[in-house]
């Protein structure tokens, strides 16, 4: 396994069973995925498609029914991998009776950090997520956005190399959302690897290098955001100074190369359109990789 | 003081044991057996889930990484988790327990009356028992609901995704809750100490008109005798020197100093209310009414076979043999050998209520068969009689003899024989009922030791609670822990059922009525517990099921903590020093439970799907 592959899943599957071992849900079906160093990967999918399940499997919070997940080349159940991981859960599962400082101090201790570095790290993170005013208040008094911020600070306490974010922008206002996205981009600039899942398409589109689209536990699409959103057989022309005649004779204009050609490229669809078409396609023909026209993608994992 | 089991010296207990193995080898064997069992069960489960090969691989990895991770336990992480547990306990208002305790104390005087024979015993045993149950209750609630709470609020997700070893989660909680419990216990200890001393503090008036002169044959004034007034439901005889200073003699378990101030006598505060007697025990044997040697006396039909009895005005004797006797045992030089004696009196006719039964003490040199004359004493039921065997004694030939020179054998042995002098009355004894009195140890220190034993129980409950809650939900884990405690309290009976006719080897009383199913059949068919069941197919089925159940019970009994043996409340109540060996043994057992809990808890947490 190459040094640059941070997370690798091989035929990772998860079946939720009830107490008697009867199958309840097949939440994830044979997922093959590779996350490389320094990239931001977005897991995209409708509610209940298995995004959170994937993240939990990568963290070792769940045991795979089949297949395996490797993180930094170690098994997901190996605790020592946690030294270099930061995790922001769907909702911030933090101790509500602690205040911001105590919370971060507690998690810092769990990384066996010596007192001096701990102090420094806690202080800088509280400032970084903008909770300086509320550092002495108990988390149970926090608003949703504040809780999200302290959750993020908690995830970054160990200066992790791999950050797993489960719906990082949920509950944040537009400004908070913007800040969160900036933070993710900053982490990327620092060379960190980020895996985030979301169903907010704009978020994914803005920050992710690659996206994986899941539907009903199956991987439907995987590729670079820019290539995925390129529509190959359609040409878009942006032009200026065309007369009404020219517009009427648009075909002639193109064939005869008249007028000032400002831009000629493949148009991009919105992620929303892509997403909806994949989901629709998947529902029409379940069990198959989605059929969306696209050029061959050199960076796809398979 | 009832001591059903002898307390062995620490290292004997740890390595050699009495009839069974020493504690350490026993622990290791049980651990190995449990480990093996867990391995088999674990493999079966994962083989069913993942297939034979992969199952084996998973088990191997879990076990090998398990031992590595247990060694990687970090003190900083553990302490962080312990602090968290303490904060959680604080948030869950453990302080309420103290409020309950204080309320209990403020109303205790309503139902604890000091007109009791032995008010100290009543107060101390009530308070210590209350403290024990209160603290065990808190330990139970805190420990069993903590981890399940974390699972419910999913805060555990953010903890286990840090480099925390699962053992640290268990150990941290045990430490945290133990610290909280320790603080509670300390506060309660101080409160109850103050409460006992203050409630029992009293003084008396000297009844001046009761004072009479005491003169020697020459008419010289020796001092005064008299008595105090009736206060706190009792009075004392008093003896004063010629300067009118003196003592209110021991009654109700204490005495007072009396100082003369001008014309008046001031009775000071009570002394020796709380004591820590240090006994040295001998070996007890009996002779029957014909004077033949017997291992035990006779039974008076009591179900509790701890004591056996000698009948009055016969040759039946209770004989204690003490080793290493010399003059250094004297409390004051030349005064003789201080002993303590507790007699259970069983009357077959009433006599005069409250009037003591006469008994006699005799010493004998086991080598030369030299016997002293009978020294009479008055026996009150269950009262600890503290006397001294005089240094100069008269033997059966009316010769004056020296206790240490003539009655102690060359290898330092002395026999103390006790007889009952009244016909138709019986004296009951067990080995610890007669002892040599060594100088008292500090009552305060003894109090600390008693609280240590409560602390040990608390830690064990906490460990079991935390560990079981790693697998079970809060209420279920609480039920489990409670049943564990209850079974632990009646461990001997439980073990008695499990081992059936093999009871003697395990040092427990015989339990009649067979195994659990047989007992059920007896209840339903209203058969008594002694009569054998009618032979037949049904009986064989019942008994073979019982055989399996009994084996199971025997295994469970191996890991049950013997809670009734942990309690040292009686030591404090009766004013006996808790032997140091006892405390160190209890602490060792406690450590054993904590270690075991951490290991078991580690594997429970590690094999559990956290996000399920
Ligand atoms: N603990 C569980 N027990 C049983 N089924 C579960 C459990 N957790 C998730 N599931 C099921 O597994 C499937 C995938 O759930 P998952 O939480 O991974 O979805 P998701 O993509 O994160 O959805 P969302 O966008 O709503 O967060 C769902 O059908 C869900 O009902
Ligand atoms: Mg989710």
């Amino acid at each position: 396994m190459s040094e640059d592959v941070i997370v690798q899943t091989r035929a990772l599957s998860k079946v939720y069973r009830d107490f008697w071992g009867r199958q309840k849900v097949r939440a994830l079906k044979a997922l093959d995925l590779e996350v490389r160093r320094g990239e931001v990967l977005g897991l995209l999918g409708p509610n209940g498609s298995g995004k959170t399940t994937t993240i939990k499997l990568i963290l070792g919070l769940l045991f795979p029914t089949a297949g395996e997940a490797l993180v930094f080349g170690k098994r997901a159940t190996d605790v020592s991998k946690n030294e270099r991981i930061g995790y922001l859960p769907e909702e911030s599962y933090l101790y509500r009776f602690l205040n911001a400082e105590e919370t971060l101090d507690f998690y810092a201790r769990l990384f066996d950090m010596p007192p001096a570095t701990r102090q420094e790290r806690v202080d800088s993170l509280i400032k970084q997520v903008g909770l300086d005013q509320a550092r002495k208040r108990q988390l149970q008094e926090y608003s949703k956005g504040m809780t999200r911020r302290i959750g993020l600070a908690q995830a970054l306490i160990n200066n992790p190399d791999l950050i797993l974010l489960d719906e990082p922008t949920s509950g944040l206002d537009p400004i908070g959302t913007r800040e969160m996205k900036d933070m993710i981009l900053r982490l990327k600039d620092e060379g960190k690897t980020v895996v985030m899942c979301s169903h907010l398409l704009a978020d994914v589109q803005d920050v992710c290098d690659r996206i994986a689209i899941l539907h009903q536990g199956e991987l439907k699409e995987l590729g670079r955001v820019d290539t995925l959103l390129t529509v190959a057989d359609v040409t878009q022309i942006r032009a200026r100074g065309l007369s009404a005649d020219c517009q009427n004779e648009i075909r002639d204009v193109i064939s005869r190369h008249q007028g000032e050609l400002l831009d000629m490229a493949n148009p991009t669809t919105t992620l929303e359109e892509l997403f909806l078409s994949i989901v629709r396609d998947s529902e029409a023909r379940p069990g198959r990789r989605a059929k969306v026209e696209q050029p061959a993608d050199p960076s796809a994992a398979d | 003081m009832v001591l059903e089991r002898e307390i062995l010296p620490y290292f004997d207990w740890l390595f050699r044991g009495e009839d069974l193995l020493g504690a350490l080898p026993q622990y290791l064997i049980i651990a190995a057996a449990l480990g093996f069992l867990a391995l088999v069960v674990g493999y079966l489960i994962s083989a069913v889930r993942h297939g034979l090969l992969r199952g084996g691989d998973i088990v191997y990895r879990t076990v090998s990484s398990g031992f590595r991770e247990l060694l990687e336990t970090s003190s900083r992480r553990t302490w962080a988790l312990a602090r968290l547990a303490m904060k959680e306990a604080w948030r869950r208002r453990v302080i309420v327990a103290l409020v309950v305790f204080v309320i209990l104390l403020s109303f205790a005087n309503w139902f604890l009356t000091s007109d009791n024979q032995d008010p100290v015993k009543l107060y101390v045993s009530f308070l210590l028992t209350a403290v024990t149950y209160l603290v065990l209750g808190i330990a139970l609630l805190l420990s069993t609901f903590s981890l399940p709470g974390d699972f419910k609020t999913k805060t555990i997700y953010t903890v286990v995704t840090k480099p925390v070893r699962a053992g640290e989660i268990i150990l941290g909680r045990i430490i945290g809750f133990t610290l909280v419990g320790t603080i509670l216990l300390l506060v309660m200890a101080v409160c109850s100490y103050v409460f006992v001393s203050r409630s029992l503090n009293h003084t008396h008036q000297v009844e001046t008109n009761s004072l009479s002169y005491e003169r020697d044959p020459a008419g010289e004034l020796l001092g005064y005798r008299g008595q105090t007034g009736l206060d706190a439901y009792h009075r004392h005889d008093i003896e004063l020197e010629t300067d009118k200073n003196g003592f209110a003699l021991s009654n109700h378990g204490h005495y007072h100093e009396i100082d003369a101030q001008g014309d008046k006598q001031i009775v000071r505060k009570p002394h020796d209310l709380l004591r820590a007697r240090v006994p040295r025990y001998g070996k007890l044997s009996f002779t029957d009414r014909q004077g033949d040697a017997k291992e035990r006396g006779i039974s008076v039909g009591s179900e509790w076979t701890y004591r056996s009895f000698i009948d009055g005005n016969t040759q039946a004797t209770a004989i204690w043999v003490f080793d290493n006797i010399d003059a250094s045992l004297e409390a004051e030089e030349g005064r003789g050998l201080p002993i303590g004696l507790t007699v259970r009196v069983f009357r077959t006719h009433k006599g005069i209520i409250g009037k003591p039964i006469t008994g006699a003490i005799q010493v004998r040199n086991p080598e030369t068969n030299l016997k002293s004359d009978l020294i009479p004493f008055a026996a009150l039921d269950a009262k600890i009689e503290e006397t001294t065997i005089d240094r100069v004694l008269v033997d059966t030939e009316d010769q004056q003899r020296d206790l240490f020179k003539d009655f102690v054998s060359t290898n330092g042995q002395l026999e103390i024989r006790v007889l009952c002098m009244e016909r138709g009355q019986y004296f009951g004894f067990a080995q610890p009922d007669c002892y040599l009195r060594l100088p008292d140890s500090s009552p305060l220190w003894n109090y600390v030791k008693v609280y240590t034993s409560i602390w040990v129980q608390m830690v064990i409950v906490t460990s079991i609670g935390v560990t079981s809650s790693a697998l079970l939900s809060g209420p279920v884990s609480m039920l489990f822990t409670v049943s564990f405690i209850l079974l632990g309290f009646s461990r001997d009976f439980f073990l008695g059922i499990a081992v059936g006719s093999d009871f003697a080897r395990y040092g427990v009383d015989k339990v009649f009525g067979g195994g659990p199913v047989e007992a059920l059949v007896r209840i339903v068919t209203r058969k008594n517990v002694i009569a054998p069941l009618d032979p037949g197919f049904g009986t064989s089925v019942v008994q073979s099921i019982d055989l399996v159940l009994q084996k199971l019970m025997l295994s469970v009994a191996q890991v049950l903590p013997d809670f009734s043996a942990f309690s040292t409340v009686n030591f404090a109540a009766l004013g006996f020093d808790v032997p140091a060996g006892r405390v160190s043994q209890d602490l060792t057992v406690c450590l054993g439970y904590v270690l075991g809990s951490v290991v078991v808890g580690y594997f429970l947490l590690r094999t559990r799907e956290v996000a399920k």
Side-chain angles (χ1 to χ4, degrees), chain B residues 537-558:
Chain B
F537 179 68
T539 306
S540 322
V541 170
V542 162
Q543 283 173 346
S544 9
I545 296 175
D546 271 346
L547 216 59
V548 176
L549 287 180
Q550 281 171 320
K551 283 278 169 290
L552 254 165
M553 288 168 73
L554 182 60
S555 333
V556 172
Q558 301 301 323

Side-chain angles (χ1 to χ4, degrees), chain B residues 67-228:
Chain B
F67 283 104
R68 201 188 57 237
E69 284 184 15
L70 281 169
L71 292 180
E72 285 167 354
T73 301
S74 129
S75 55
R76 190 177 278 137
R77 287 193 297 253
T78 310
W79 178 235
L81 288 156
R83 277 173 31 136
L84 181 79
M86 288 168 76
K87 283 181 189 158
E88 183 196 317
W90 182 253
R91 191 189 57 100
R92 281 165 62 185
R93 313 245 184 284
V94 283
I95 202 79
V96 169
L98 284 185
V99 176
V100 170
F101 186 66
V102 169
I103 293 175
L104 202 71
L105 281 192
S106 31
F107 292 103
N109 270 325
W110 286 9
F111 47 88
L112 293 179
T113 48
S114 11
D115 62 347
N116 192 284
Q117 238 295 326
D118 201 347
V120 177
K121 179 178 162 192
L122 185 71
Y123 272 71
V124 170
S125 62
F126 167 75
L127 279 180
L128 289 180
T129 311
V131 168
T132 307
Y133 286 127
L134 212 54
V135 167
L136 290 194
I138 293 164
L140 185 71
L141 286 179
L142 285 182
S143 62
T144 51
F145 281 93
S146 170
L147 259 180
D150 268 27
F151 273 94
K152 209 175 190 172
T153 58
K154 302 190 177 172
T155 41
I156 192 84
Y157 289 12
T158 47
V159 174
V160 295
T161 51
K162 305 287 181 280
V164 174
R165 312 297 189 259
E168 292 163 348
I169 296 179
I170 305 285
L171 184 61
R173 277 191 168 63
I174 295 179
I175 292 177
F177 293 140
T178 297
L179 286 177
V180 171
T182 310
I183 293 169
L184 291 185
L185 213 50
L186 277 178
V187 175
M188 291 185 190
V190 171
C191 286
S192 50
Y193 195 81
V194 170
F195 176 78
V196 170
S197 343
R198 285 196 45 175
S199 310
L200 298 178
N201 194 13
H202 64 274
T203 151
H204 300 265
Q205 296 293 318
V206 173
E207 289 191 341
T208 350
N209 52 7
S210 76
L211 285 182
S212 63
Y213 296 98
E214 188 80 356
R215 296 175 193 281
D216 69 1
E220 189 83 23
L221 183 66
L222 286 174
Y224 307 89
R225 278 179 188 281
Q227 62 175 16
T228 66

Side-chain angles (χ1 to χ4, degrees), chain A residues 24-195:
Chain A
K24 268 204 300 199
V25 189
R26 286 187 69 188
L28 201 59
K29 299 167 196 165
L31 176 71
D32 288 308
L33 199 64
E34 266 182 17
V35 184
R36 307 226 173 80
R37 184 184 302 281
E39 75 171 339
V40 179
L41 178 91
L43 284 173
L44 201 53
N47 290 133
S49 55
K51 307 182 294 289
T52 302
T53 303
T54 309
I55 289 202
K56 284 177 179 169
L57 283 165
I58 293 173
L59 283 165
L61 286 173
L62 289 173
F63 303 150
T65 310
E68 62 179 351
L70 298 177
V71 185
F72 302 118
K74 293 174 179 164
R75 279 171 206 280
T77 45
D78 188 337
V79 272
S80 63
K81 73 171 195 313
N82 292 348
E83 298 276 2
R84 295 164 64 195
I85 290 187
Y87 167 50
L88 175 68
E90 287 179 277
E91 285 160 43
S92 295
Y93 302 129
L94 302 170
Y95 292 95
R96 293 162 53 79
F97 52 89
L98 300 179
N99 65 33
E101 257 177 24
E102 288 170 333
T103 303
L104 293 187
D105 184 69
F106 168 67
Y107 288 111
R109 280 168 195 262
L110 295 189
F111 284 99
D112 223 341
M113 261 183 224
T117 36
R118 201 162 67 213
Q119 197 89 55
E120 200 182 314
R121 188 86 193 135
V122 169
D123 215 53
S124 79
L125 273 173
I126 287 186
K127 293 209 176 88
Q128 203 176 329
V129 297
L131 286 174
D132 209 12
Q133 303 295 314
R135 61 196 298 160
K136 294 280 185 203
R137 284 169 64 191
Q138 288 196 337
L139 299 198
Q140 57 200 3
E141 301 171 7
Y142 274 25
S143 73
K144 200 167 177 191
M146 292 162 89
T147 317
R148 215 63 200 143
R149 285 159 200 259
I150 187 73
L152 180 68
Q154 164 275 134
L156 299 179
I157 192 81
N158 57 330
N159 195 13
D161 295 329
L162 169 65
I163 300 140
L164 298 154
L165 305 170
D166 200 339
E167 300 186 13
T169 55
S170 80
L172 292 179
D173 60 15
I175 300 166
T177 308
R178 187 68 255 163
E179 282 172 0
M180 177 66 83
K181 288 188 206 169
D182 289 345
M183 169 80 77
I184 294 171
L185 291 174
R186 200 154 59 233
L187 289 171
K188 177 186 144 93
D189 288 342
E190 287 169 22
K192 319 264 184 211
T193 312
V194 179
V195 175

Side-chain angles (χ1 to χ4, degrees), chain B residues 574-592:
Chain B
L574 296 172
F576 279 88
D577 188 53
V578 179
R582 194 39 216 281
V583 180
S584 45
Q585 285 172 27
D586 287 357
L587 285 173
T588 312
V589 171
C590 176
L591 184 71

Side-chain angles (χ1 to χ4, degrees), chain A residues 146-272:
Chain A
M146 292 162 89
T147 317
R148 215 63 200 143
R149 285 159 200 259
I150 187 73
L152 180 68
Q154 164 275 134
L156 299 179
I157 192 81
N158 57 330
N159 195 13
D161 295 329
L162 169 65
I163 300 140
L164 298 154
L165 305 170
D166 200 339
E167 300 186 13
T169 55
S170 80
L172 292 179
D173 60 15
I175 300 166
T177 308
R178 187 68 255 163
E179 282 172 0
M180 177 66 83
K181 288 188 206 169
D182 289 345
M183 169 80 77
I184 294 171
L185 291 174
R186 200 154 59 233
L187 289 171
K188 177 186 144 93
D189 288 342
E190 287 169 22
K192 319 264 184 211
T193 312
V194 179
V195 175
M196 60 176 277
C197 73
S198 180
H199 42 232
L200 295 176
L201 305 165
D203 296 353
V204 177
Q205 191 167 10
D206 285 353
V207 297
C208 293
D209 299 322
R210 287 202 301 153
I211 51 172
I213 297 182
L214 291 172
H215 184 240
Q216 293 175 346
E218 281 172 277
L219 181 64
K220 292 297 177 184
E221 194 55 76
L222 178 71
R224 295 194 60 80
V225 174
D226 40 17
T227 26
L228 276 181
L229 298 185
T230 305
V231 184
D233 57 351
V234 179
T235 305
Q236 183 184 33
I237 297 170
R238 286 178 71 209
R240 187 166 60 199
L242 296 185
S243 66
D245 291 346
C246 287
Q247 282 174 28
N248 290 333
E249 302 166 33
I250 188 82
R251 273 193 198 87
D252 297 346
V253 173
I254 293 165
S255 60
R256 281 179 241 143
H257 296 273
Q258 279 177 0
E260 190 187 358
L261 191 65
L262 284 181
D263 183 27
M264 190 166 184
N266 299 112
T268 53
T269 168
T270 61
L271 187 54
E272 187 171 341

